[in-house]
Amino acid sequence: MPESPATKPSTSSSADVDTDAKIGGPVDAVTAAASDVVNAASDIGGFIRSQRVAAQVSLRQLAERAGVSNPYLSQIERGLRKPSADVLAQIAKGLRVSAEVLYVRAGILEERPASPVRDALIADASISERQRQVLLEIYESFRHENKGSGAGSTASGPTFTAAEASQAAVSNDSTKE
């Protein structure tokens, strides 16, 4: 009668395990990187699923809105596939969320420090994705510019209020159409 795996004695000794743990060569690096990809894929898939459920949208409806196949979207949600940035942008549009949120969740972009202004811009569904991106770029450029001066305003250029920056983004968006 063959031994069950639970009763079969282990063939590796504790010395083998200690040696393997100390080596940590390229195989371990590749394994860790592959594990990170799988974790990112399942993380983004779970996040997309939770957003879809919260929005009360069926898998089929989201697939149609995003322009991807139903089976492919299902595989993304189950963590079997890692979507490209383009597919994430399409899914974001179908979910009516910022593509940046999905990019960060998928590990494509680095998460930025929390900012109530950024969070408000990303969450604002009343502006287009293009307007949102323009406003975020303006906001980040002001923060970067002011970081060097250590103050809230600089003498090197004009200071805009949020309303003025918003109007500039709207004007810029409407002149391009």
Side-chain angles (χ1 to χ4, degrees):
M1 177 176 212
E3 294 181 15
S4 69
T7 60
K8 187 185 258 185
S10 174
T11 56
S12 66
S13 69
S14 61
D16 292 338
V17 173
D18 290 342
T19 304
D20 290 342
K22 291 178 186 173
I23 294 173
V27 172
D28 288 342
V30 170
T31 303
S35 176
D36 289 347
V37 168
V38 169
N39 289 340
S42 62
D43 184 42
I44 186 63
F47 182 74
I48 289 170
R49 178 178 298 197
S50 68
Q51 293 297 306
R52 178 179 60 76
V53 169
Q56 299 179 341
V57 176
S58 73
L59 185 71
R60 181 167 281 134
Q61 288 170 326
L62 179 56
E64 188 175 305
R65 287 182 189 177
V68 298
S69 75
N70 195 16
Y72 182 58
L73 183 57
S74 175
Q75 290 173 347
I76 291 170
E77 284 192 357
R78 290 182 288 142
L80 302 176
R81 299 277 182 153
K82 185 174 181 193
S84 68
D86 289 339
V87 171
L88 285 174
Q90 291 171 257
I91 292 171
K93 190 173 183 177
L95 287 171
R96 294 184 177 100
V97 298
S98 169
E100 184 175 358
V101 171
L102 295 184
Y103 293 158
V104 168
R105 201 63 181 218
I108 295 172
L109 286 179
E110 289 183 25
E111 190 167 5
R112 296 180 184 169
S115 162
V117 174
R118 288 187 81 259
D119 295 345
L121 286 172
I122 289 170
D124 191 345
S126 67
I127 59 176
S128 72
E129 183 67 25
R130 171 140 170 56
Q131 291 167 337
R132 185 176 295 115
Q133 292 304 319
V134 169
L135 286 172
L136 287 170
E137 288 174 17
I138 292 169
Y139 176 67
E140 289 300 325
S141 72
F142 286 164
R143 286 177 50 110
H144 179 72
E145 184 178 319
N146 291 340
K147 184 187 260 187
S149 70
S153 63
T154 64
S156 63
T159 303
F160 297 101
T161 65
E164 291 168 331
S166 177
Q167 183 59 43
V170 170
S171 297
N172 187 21
D173 197 43
S174 63
T175 57
K176 300 258 180 189
E177 293 176 0

